[in-house]
Amino acid sequence: MKVFGDMGGWYTVQVTARVDYAVRALAELAARQGGSATRTQLAEAQGIPSKFLEAILRDLRKAGLVVAHRGATGGYALAGSPDEITIADVVRAVDGPLAAVRGAAPESVEYQGAAAPLREVWIAVRASLRLVLEATTLADLVDGRLPTNVRSLLDGDDVYERR
């Protein structure tokens, strides 16, 4: 996930395919309640391109979120409890920091004149991402019980409208 934009352009938070696929694959593992699955099983269960998933699983393994088992009964398993792995952990493992402005940390950018407060806006955007992504675990997804603060964000009449 990245925050993109410049002074005169559009600003968007983008959930990359890598993040989407990684969260879906880990949710699938979490649903197996301690069981493992092969890359092919995960790819088929979630409709993810298997070759793309291979690179994602490598990043998740390096980050310590999954373990790989070799052999006939091999595959991938969560390295921790689903209630301890947050979506923010997954985002950081496959995409890096939650928010970036032109590739830099929001606190490192500086603007002049009328745009000077924009730095704080980007920091607030990152903080709001943290409020959702650090509060939501894989167990929350699998159990269908989003945290109260996340669920409350869905209460508005227009939250599903694209603007």
Side-chain angles (χ1 to χ4, degrees), residues 14-46:
Q14 179 181 356
V15 178
T16 65
R18 290 178 57 77
V19 166
D20 182 54
Y21 293 163
V23 172
R24 289 165 48 199
L26 291 187
E28 191 66 33
L29 284 175
R32 293 172 184 254
Q33 301 177 343
S36 64
T38 66
R39 177 190 63 183
T40 302
Q41 289 170 327
L42 294 171
E44 288 176 0
Q46 287 296 317

PDB file of all heavy atoms in Angstrom, residues 14-46:
ATOM      1  N   GLN A  14      -3.216   2.945  -2.767  1.00  0.00           N
ATOM      2  CA  GLN A  14      -3.361   1.806  -3.659  1.00  0.00           C
ATOM      3  C   GLN A  14      -3.016   0.518  -2.929  1.00  0.00           C
ATOM      4  O   GLN A  14      -1.939   0.387  -2.351  1.00  0.00           O
ATOM      5  CB  GLN A  14      -2.437   1.976  -4.861  1.00  0.00           C
ATOM      6  CG  GLN A  14      -2.502   0.829  -5.829  1.00  0.00           C
ATOM      7  CD  GLN A  14      -1.563   1.015  -7.001  1.00  0.00           C
ATOM      8  OE1 GLN A  14      -0.901   2.033  -7.139  1.00  0.00           O
ATOM      9  NE2 GLN A  14      -1.490   0.026  -7.853  1.00  0.00           N
ATOM     10  N   VAL A  15      -3.932  -0.428  -2.952  1.00  0.00           N
ATOM     11  CA  VAL A  15      -3.656  -1.771  -2.458  1.00  0.00           C
ATOM     12  C   VAL A  15      -3.106  -2.544  -3.645  1.00  0.00           C
ATOM     13  O   VAL A  15      -3.810  -2.782  -4.625  1.00  0.00           O
ATOM     14  CB  VAL A  15      -4.933  -2.454  -1.909  1.00  0.00           C
ATOM     15  CG1 VAL A  15      -4.616  -3.875  -1.454  1.00  0.00           C
ATOM     16  CG2 VAL A  15      -5.535  -1.639  -0.778  1.00  0.00           C
ATOM     17  N   THR A  16      -1.830  -2.907  -3.572  1.00  0.00           N
ATOM     18  CA  THR A  16      -1.198  -3.584  -4.693  1.00  0.00           C
ATOM     19  C   THR A  16      -1.684  -5.029  -4.804  1.00  0.00           C
ATOM     20  O   THR A  16      -2.203  -5.602  -3.834  1.00  0.00           O
ATOM     21  CB  THR A  16       0.338  -3.583  -4.540  1.00  0.00           C
ATOM     22  OG1 THR A  16       0.683  -4.376  -3.394  1.00  0.00           O
ATOM     23  CG2 THR A  16       0.884  -2.164  -4.405  1.00  0.00           C
ATOM     24  N   ALA A  17      -1.477  -5.610  -5.959  1.00  0.00           N
ATOM     25  CA  ALA A  17      -1.815  -7.026  -6.160  1.00  0.00           C
ATOM     26  C   ALA A  17      -1.015  -7.888  -5.189  1.00  0.00           C
ATOM     27  O   ALA A  17      -1.548  -8.869  -4.641  1.00  0.00           O
ATOM     28  CB  ALA A  17      -1.535  -7.442  -7.602  1.00  0.00           C
ATOM     29  N   ARG A  18       0.231  -7.525  -4.941  1.00  0.00           N
ATOM     30  CA  ARG A  18       1.060  -8.298  -4.003  1.00  0.00           C
ATOM     31  C   ARG A  18       0.422  -8.338  -2.612  1.00  0.00           C
ATOM     32  O   ARG A  18       0.369  -9.378  -1.974  1.00  0.00           O
ATOM     33  CB  ARG A  18       2.477  -7.722  -3.916  1.00  0.00           C
ATOM     34  CG  ARG A  18       3.300  -7.942  -5.179  1.00  0.00           C
ATOM     35  CD  ARG A  18       4.680  -7.309  -5.057  1.00  0.00           C
ATOM     36  NE  ARG A  18       5.445  -7.790  -3.918  1.00  0.00           N
ATOM     37  CZ  ARG A  18       6.079  -8.960  -3.853  1.00  0.00           C
ATOM     38  NH1 ARG A  18       6.031  -9.791  -4.885  1.00  0.00           N
ATOM     39  NH2 ARG A  18       6.753  -9.303  -2.783  1.00  0.00           N
ATOM     40  N   VAL A  19      -0.047  -7.194  -2.142  1.00  0.00           N
ATOM     41  CA  VAL A  19      -0.682  -7.138  -0.824  1.00  0.00           C
ATOM     42  C   VAL A  19      -1.978  -7.942  -0.829  1.00  0.00           C
ATOM     43  O   VAL A  19      -2.225  -8.757   0.062  1.00  0.00           O
ATOM     44  CB  VAL A  19      -0.948  -5.675  -0.394  1.00  0.00           C
ATOM     45  CG1 VAL A  19      -1.901  -5.611   0.785  1.00  0.00           C
ATOM     46  CG2 VAL A  19       0.359  -4.976  -0.064  1.00  0.00           C
ATOM     47  N   ASP A  20      -2.812  -7.718  -1.826  1.00  0.00           N
ATOM     48  CA  ASP A  20      -4.083  -8.429  -1.924  1.00  0.00           C
ATOM     49  C   ASP A  20      -3.851  -9.939  -1.922  1.00  0.00           C
ATOM     50  O   ASP A  20      -4.476 -10.678  -1.153  1.00  0.00           O
ATOM     51  CB  ASP A  20      -4.820  -7.981  -3.186  1.00  0.00           C
ATOM     52  CG  ASP A  20      -6.170  -8.648  -3.340  1.00  0.00           C
ATOM     53  OD1 ASP A  20      -6.982  -8.566  -2.392  1.00  0.00           O
ATOM     54  OD2 ASP A  20      -6.412  -9.250  -4.396  1.00  0.00           O
ATOM     55  N   TYR A  21      -2.946 -10.415  -2.759  1.00  0.00           N
ATOM     56  CA  TYR A  21      -2.669 -11.846  -2.848  1.00  0.00           C
ATOM     57  C   TYR A  21      -2.069 -12.380  -1.551  1.00  0.00           C
ATOM     58  O   TYR A  21      -2.409 -13.478  -1.105  1.00  0.00           O
ATOM     59  CB  TYR A  21      -1.728 -12.151  -4.011  1.00  0.00           C
ATOM     60  CG  TYR A  21      -2.292 -11.899  -5.385  1.00  0.00           C
ATOM     61  CD1 TYR A  21      -1.441 -11.803  -6.479  1.00  0.00           C
ATOM     62  CD2 TYR A  21      -3.659 -11.748  -5.610  1.00  0.00           C
ATOM     63  CE1 TYR A  21      -1.940 -11.586  -7.762  1.00  0.00           C
ATOM     64  CE2 TYR A  21      -4.157 -11.525  -6.882  1.00  0.00           C
ATOM     65  CZ  TYR A  21      -3.289 -11.446  -7.956  1.00  0.00           C
ATOM     66  OH  TYR A  21      -3.781 -11.233  -9.226  1.00  0.00           O
ATOM     67  N   ALA A  22      -1.164 -11.630  -0.944  1.00  0.00           N
ATOM     68  CA  ALA A  22      -0.518 -12.077   0.291  1.00  0.00           C
ATOM     69  C   ALA A  22      -1.537 -12.227   1.418  1.00  0.00           C
ATOM     70  O   ALA A  22      -1.533 -13.241   2.131  1.00  0.00           O
ATOM     71  CB  ALA A  22       0.587 -11.097   0.691  1.00  0.00           C
ATOM     72  N   VAL A  23      -2.402 -11.246   1.580  1.00  0.00           N
ATOM     73  CA  VAL A  23      -3.409 -11.324   2.642  1.00  0.00           C
ATOM     74  C   VAL A  23      -4.351 -12.498   2.382  1.00  0.00           C
ATOM     75  O   VAL A  23      -4.687 -13.264   3.298  1.00  0.00           O
ATOM     76  CB  VAL A  23      -4.190  -9.999   2.778  1.00  0.00           C
ATOM     77  CG1 VAL A  23      -5.354 -10.153   3.751  1.00  0.00           C
ATOM     78  CG2 VAL A  23      -3.265  -8.875   3.228  1.00  0.00           C
ATOM     79  N   ARG A  24      -4.767 -12.679   1.143  1.00  0.00           N
ATOM     80  CA  ARG A  24      -5.674 -13.775   0.811  1.00  0.00           C
ATOM     81  C   ARG A  24      -5.026 -15.134   1.059  1.00  0.00           C
ATOM     82  O   ARG A  24      -5.663 -16.057   1.594  1.00  0.00           O
ATOM     83  CB  ARG A  24      -6.157 -13.636  -0.622  1.00  0.00           C
ATOM     84  CG  ARG A  24      -7.119 -12.463  -0.773  1.00  0.00           C
ATOM     85  CD  ARG A  24      -7.364 -12.043  -2.195  1.00  0.00           C
ATOM     86  NE  ARG A  24      -7.672 -13.134  -3.092  1.00  0.00           N
ATOM     87  CZ  ARG A  24      -7.561 -13.035  -4.421  1.00  0.00           C
ATOM     88  NH1 ARG A  24      -7.176 -11.895  -4.987  1.00  0.00           N
ATOM     89  NH2 ARG A  24      -7.855 -14.052  -5.186  1.00  0.00           N
ATOM     90  N   ALA A  25      -3.754 -15.278   0.681  1.00  0.00           N
ATOM     91  CA  ALA A  25      -3.046 -16.550   0.896  1.00  0.00           C
ATOM     92  C   ALA A  25      -2.902 -16.833   2.389  1.00  0.00           C
ATOM     93  O   ALA A  25      -3.109 -17.970   2.833  1.00  0.00           O
ATOM     94  CB  ALA A  25      -1.678 -16.517   0.217  1.00  0.00           C
ATOM     95  N   LEU A  26      -2.580 -15.815   3.170  1.00  0.00           N
ATOM     96  CA  LEU A  26      -2.421 -16.023   4.610  1.00  0.00           C
ATOM     97  C   LEU A  26      -3.764 -16.270   5.290  1.00  0.00           C
ATOM     98  O   LEU A  26      -3.841 -17.048   6.248  1.00  0.00           O
ATOM     99  CB  LEU A  26      -1.694 -14.847   5.250  1.00  0.00           C
ATOM    100  CG  LEU A  26      -0.217 -14.711   4.856  1.00  0.00           C
ATOM    101  CD1 LEU A  26       0.453 -13.616   5.665  1.00  0.00           C
ATOM    102  CD2 LEU A  26       0.538 -16.021   5.008  1.00  0.00           C
ATOM    103  N   ALA A  27      -4.822 -15.638   4.808  1.00  0.00           N
ATOM    104  CA  ALA A  27      -6.153 -15.919   5.348  1.00  0.00           C
ATOM    105  C   ALA A  27      -6.510 -17.381   5.082  1.00  0.00           C
ATOM    106  O   ALA A  27      -7.094 -18.061   5.940  1.00  0.00           O
ATOM    107  CB  ALA A  27      -7.196 -14.982   4.737  1.00  0.00           C
ATOM    108  N   GLU A  28      -6.152 -17.859   3.910  1.00  0.00           N
ATOM    109  CA  GLU A  28      -6.403 -19.266   3.570  1.00  0.00           C
ATOM    110  C   GLU A  28      -5.638 -20.187   4.518  1.00  0.00           C
ATOM    111  O   GLU A  28      -6.184 -21.183   5.002  1.00  0.00           O
ATOM    112  CB  GLU A  28      -5.988 -19.521   2.111  1.00  0.00           C
ATOM    113  CG  GLU A  28      -6.420 -20.839   1.566  1.00  0.00           C
ATOM    114  CD  GLU A  28      -7.932 -20.986   1.423  1.00  0.00           C
ATOM    115  OE1 GLU A  28      -8.626 -19.989   1.136  1.00  0.00           O
ATOM    116  OE2 GLU A  28      -8.420 -22.123   1.609  1.00  0.00           O
ATOM    117  N   LEU A  29      -4.385 -19.857   4.811  1.00  0.00           N
ATOM    118  CA  LEU A  29      -3.609 -20.655   5.772  1.00  0.00           C
ATOM    119  C   LEU A  29      -4.229 -20.569   7.168  1.00  0.00           C
ATOM    120  O   LEU A  29      -4.307 -21.573   7.875  1.00  0.00           O
ATOM    121  CB  LEU A  29      -2.151 -20.189   5.815  1.00  0.00           C
ATOM    122  CG  LEU A  29      -1.276 -20.603   4.645  1.00  0.00           C
ATOM    123  CD1 LEU A  29       0.106 -19.973   4.768  1.00  0.00           C
ATOM    124  CD2 LEU A  29      -1.168 -22.122   4.550  1.00  0.00           C
ATOM    125  N   ALA A  30      -4.658 -19.382   7.555  1.00  0.00           N
ATOM    126  CA  ALA A  30      -5.265 -19.209   8.878  1.00  0.00           C
ATOM    127  C   ALA A  30      -6.533 -20.057   9.004  1.00  0.00           C
ATOM    128  O   ALA A  30      -6.802 -20.619  10.066  1.00  0.00           O
ATOM    129  CB  ALA A  30      -5.572 -17.734   9.132  1.00  0.00           C
ATOM    130  N   ALA A  31      -7.282 -20.162   7.932  1.00  0.00           N
ATOM    131  CA  ALA A  31      -8.518 -20.947   7.951  1.00  0.00           C
ATOM    132  C   ALA A  31      -8.227 -22.435   8.123  1.00  0.00           C
ATOM    133  O   ALA A  31      -9.101 -23.192   8.561  1.00  0.00           O
ATOM    134  CB  ALA A  31      -9.315 -20.707   6.673  1.00  0.00           C
ATOM    135  N   ARG A  32      -7.024 -22.842   7.823  1.00  0.00           N
ATOM    136  CA  ARG A  32      -6.650 -24.257   7.963  1.00  0.00           C
ATOM    137  C   ARG A  32      -6.259 -24.597   9.402  1.00  0.00           C
ATOM    138  O   ARG A  32      -5.846 -25.716   9.679  1.00  0.00           O
ATOM    139  CB  ARG A  32      -5.531 -24.604   6.989  1.00  0.00           C
ATOM    140  CG  ARG A  32      -6.014 -24.541   5.554  1.00  0.00           C
ATOM    141  CD  ARG A  32      -4.875 -24.697   4.556  1.00  0.00           C
ATOM    142  NE  ARG A  32      -5.386 -24.534   3.215  1.00  0.00           N
ATOM    143  CZ  ARG A  32      -5.566 -25.541   2.362  1.00  0.00           C
ATOM    144  NH1 ARG A  32      -5.253 -26.758   2.706  1.00  0.00           N
ATOM    145  NH2 ARG A  32      -6.047 -25.298   1.159  1.00  0.00           N
ATOM    146  N   GLN A  33      -6.349 -23.645  10.296  1.00  0.00           N
ATOM    147  CA  GLN A  33      -6.140 -23.839  11.735  1.00  0.00           C
ATOM    148  C   GLN A  33      -4.898 -24.651  12.071  1.00  0.00           C
ATOM    149  O   GLN A  33      -4.987 -25.717  12.671  1.00  0.00           O
ATOM    150  CB  GLN A  33      -7.381 -24.450  12.366  1.00  0.00           C
ATOM    151  CG  GLN A  33      -8.591 -23.579  12.164  1.00  0.00           C
ATOM    152  CD  GLN A  33      -9.859 -24.183  12.710  1.00  0.00           C
ATOM    153  OE1 GLN A  33      -9.944 -25.368  12.968  1.00  0.00           O
ATOM    154  NE2 GLN A  33     -10.862 -23.346  12.877  1.00  0.00           N
ATOM    155  N   GLY A  34      -3.758 -24.112  11.679  1.00  0.00           N
ATOM    156  CA  GLY A  34      -2.489 -24.752  11.990  1.00  0.00           C
ATOM    157  C   GLY A  34      -2.011 -25.711  10.931  1.00  0.00           C
ATOM    158  O   GLY A  34      -0.891 -26.207  11.005  1.00  0.00           O
ATOM    159  N   GLY A  35      -2.848 -25.986   9.958  1.00  0.00           N
ATOM    160  CA  GLY A  35      -2.452 -26.879   8.872  1.00  0.00           C
ATOM    161  C   GLY A  35      -1.616 -26.155   7.842  1.00  0.00           C
ATOM    162  O   GLY A  35      -1.474 -24.937   7.876  1.00  0.00           O
ATOM    163  N   SER A  36      -1.071 -26.907   6.943  1.00  0.00           N
ATOM    164  CA  SER A  36      -0.254 -26.312   5.886  1.00  0.00           C
ATOM    165  C   SER A  36      -0.932 -26.507   4.539  1.00  0.00           C
ATOM    166  O   SER A  36      -1.892 -27.258   4.413  1.00  0.00           O
ATOM    167  CB  SER A  36       1.152 -26.916   5.876  1.00  0.00           C
ATOM    168  OG  SER A  36       1.085 -28.292   5.561  1.00  0.00           O
ATOM    169  N   ALA A  37      -0.405 -25.811   3.558  1.00  0.00           N
ATOM    170  CA  ALA A  37      -0.911 -25.914   2.192  1.00  0.00           C
ATOM    171  C   ALA A  37       0.239 -25.649   1.238  1.00  0.00           C
ATOM    172  O   ALA A  37       1.154 -24.882   1.549  1.00  0.00           O
ATOM    173  CB  ALA A  37      -2.034 -24.910   1.947  1.00  0.00           C
ATOM    174  N   THR A  38       0.170 -26.269   0.090  1.00  0.00           N
ATOM    175  CA  THR A  38       1.181 -26.009  -0.933  1.00  0.00           C
ATOM    176  C   THR A  38       0.856 -24.692  -1.627  1.00  0.00           C
ATOM    177  O   THR A  38      -0.263 -24.181  -1.530  1.00  0.00           O
ATOM    178  CB  THR A  38       1.213 -27.129  -1.985  1.00  0.00           C
ATOM    179  OG1 THR A  38      -0.033 -27.116  -2.700  1.00  0.00           O
ATOM    180  CG2 THR A  38       1.454 -28.501  -1.343  1.00  0.00           C
ATOM    181  N   ARG A  39       1.820 -24.195  -2.330  1.00  0.00           N
ATOM    182  CA  ARG A  39       1.609 -22.971  -3.108  1.00  0.00           C
ATOM    183  C   ARG A  39       0.473 -23.181  -4.096  1.00  0.00           C
ATOM    184  O   ARG A  39      -0.396 -22.329  -4.259  1.00  0.00           O
ATOM    185  CB  ARG A  39       2.895 -22.596  -3.843  1.00  0.00           C
ATOM    186  CG  ARG A  39       2.716 -21.376  -4.728  1.00  0.00           C
ATOM    187  CD  ARG A  39       3.893 -21.160  -5.606  1.00  0.00           C
ATOM    188  NE  ARG A  39       4.006 -22.312  -6.501  1.00  0.00           N
ATOM    189  CZ  ARG A  39       4.953 -22.496  -7.378  1.00  0.00           C
ATOM    190  NH1 ARG A  39       5.912 -21.634  -7.520  1.00  0.00           N
ATOM    191  NH2 ARG A  39       4.977 -23.554  -8.157  1.00  0.00           N
ATOM    192  N   THR A  40       0.425 -24.332  -4.736  1.00  0.00           N
ATOM    193  CA  THR A  40      -0.620 -24.627  -5.712  1.00  0.00           C
ATOM    194  C   THR A  40      -1.993 -24.644  -5.051  1.00  0.00           C
ATOM    195  O   THR A  40      -2.955 -24.093  -5.593  1.00  0.00           O
ATOM    196  CB  THR A  40      -0.342 -25.969  -6.413  1.00  0.00           C
ATOM    197  OG1 THR A  40       0.944 -25.887  -7.045  1.00  0.00           O
ATOM    198  CG2 THR A  40      -1.394 -26.289  -7.450  1.00  0.00           C
ATOM    199  N   GLN A  41      -2.093 -25.248  -3.885  1.00  0.00           N
ATOM    200  CA  GLN A  41      -3.369 -25.278  -3.168  1.00  0.00           C
ATOM    201  C   GLN A  41      -3.837 -23.868  -2.806  1.00  0.00           C
ATOM    202  O   GLN A  41      -5.013 -23.534  -2.962  1.00  0.00           O
ATOM    203  CB  GLN A  41      -3.248 -26.123  -1.900  1.00  0.00           C
ATOM    204  CG  GLN A  41      -3.120 -27.606  -2.166  1.00  0.00           C
ATOM    205  CD  GLN A  41      -2.757 -28.395  -0.922  1.00  0.00           C
ATOM    206  OE1 GLN A  41      -2.038 -27.904  -0.040  1.00  0.00           O
ATOM    207  NE2 GLN A  41      -3.251 -29.627  -0.856  1.00  0.00           N
ATOM    208  N   LEU A  42      -2.914 -23.044  -2.332  1.00  0.00           N
ATOM    209  CA  LEU A  42      -3.253 -21.666  -1.976  1.00  0.00           C
ATOM    210  C   LEU A  42      -3.678 -20.880  -3.211  1.00  0.00           C
ATOM    211  O   LEU A  42      -4.668 -20.145  -3.179  1.00  0.00           O
ATOM    212  CB  LEU A  42      -2.071 -20.971  -1.293  1.00  0.00           C
ATOM    213  CG  LEU A  42      -1.668 -21.507   0.068  1.00  0.00           C
ATOM    214  CD1 LEU A  42      -0.360 -20.868   0.526  1.00  0.00           C
ATOM    215  CD2 LEU A  42      -2.774 -21.281   1.084  1.00  0.00           C
ATOM    216  N   ALA A  43      -2.929 -21.047  -4.285  1.00  0.00           N
ATOM    217  CA  ALA A  43      -3.227 -20.332  -5.527  1.00  0.00           C
ATOM    218  C   ALA A  43      -4.608 -20.719  -6.056  1.00  0.00           C
ATOM    219  O   ALA A  43      -5.391 -19.848  -6.449  1.00  0.00           O
ATOM    220  CB  ALA A  43      -2.149 -20.609  -6.570  1.00  0.00           C
ATOM    221  N   GLU A  44      -4.901 -22.011  -6.063  1.00  0.00           N
ATOM    222  CA  GLU A  44      -6.200 -22.472  -6.561  1.00  0.00           C
ATOM    223  C   GLU A  44      -7.345 -22.024  -5.659  1.00  0.00           C
ATOM    224  O   GLU A  44      -8.400 -21.610  -6.137  1.00  0.00           O
ATOM    225  CB  GLU A  44      -6.191 -23.996  -6.711  1.00  0.00           C
ATOM    226  CG  GLU A  44      -5.345 -24.468  -7.876  1.00  0.00           C
ATOM    227  CD  GLU A  44      -5.250 -25.988  -7.969  1.00  0.00           C
ATOM    228  OE1 GLU A  44      -5.847 -26.692  -7.119  1.00  0.00           O
ATOM    229  OE2 GLU A  44      -4.561 -26.463  -8.891  1.00  0.00           O
ATOM    230  N   ALA A  45      -7.144 -22.091  -4.349  1.00  0.00           N
ATOM    231  CA  ALA A  45      -8.201 -21.732  -3.407  1.00  0.00           C
ATOM    232  C   ALA A  45      -8.579 -20.254  -3.507  1.00  0.00           C
ATOM    233  O   ALA A  45      -9.733 -19.893  -3.297  1.00  0.00           O
ATOM    234  CB  ALA A  45      -7.781 -22.064  -1.979  1.00  0.00           C
ATOM    235  N   GLN A  46      -7.602 -19.408  -3.855  1.00  0.00           N
ATOM    236  CA  GLN A  46      -7.855 -17.973  -3.872  1.00  0.00           C
ATOM    237  C   GLN A  46      -7.791 -17.358  -5.274  1.00  0.00           C
ATOM    238  O   GLN A  46      -7.919 -16.149  -5.414  1.00  0.00           O
ATOM    239  CB  GLN A  46      -6.849 -17.255  -2.957  1.00  0.00           C
ATOM    240  CG  GLN A  46      -7.128 -17.483  -1.490  1.00  0.00           C
ATOM    241  CD  GLN A  46      -8.469 -16.893  -1.079  1.00  0.00           C
ATOM    242  OE1 GLN A  46      -8.820 -15.786  -1.477  1.00  0.00           O
ATOM    243  NE2 GLN A  46      -9.225 -17.638  -0.285  1.00  0.00           N
TER     244      GLN A  46
END
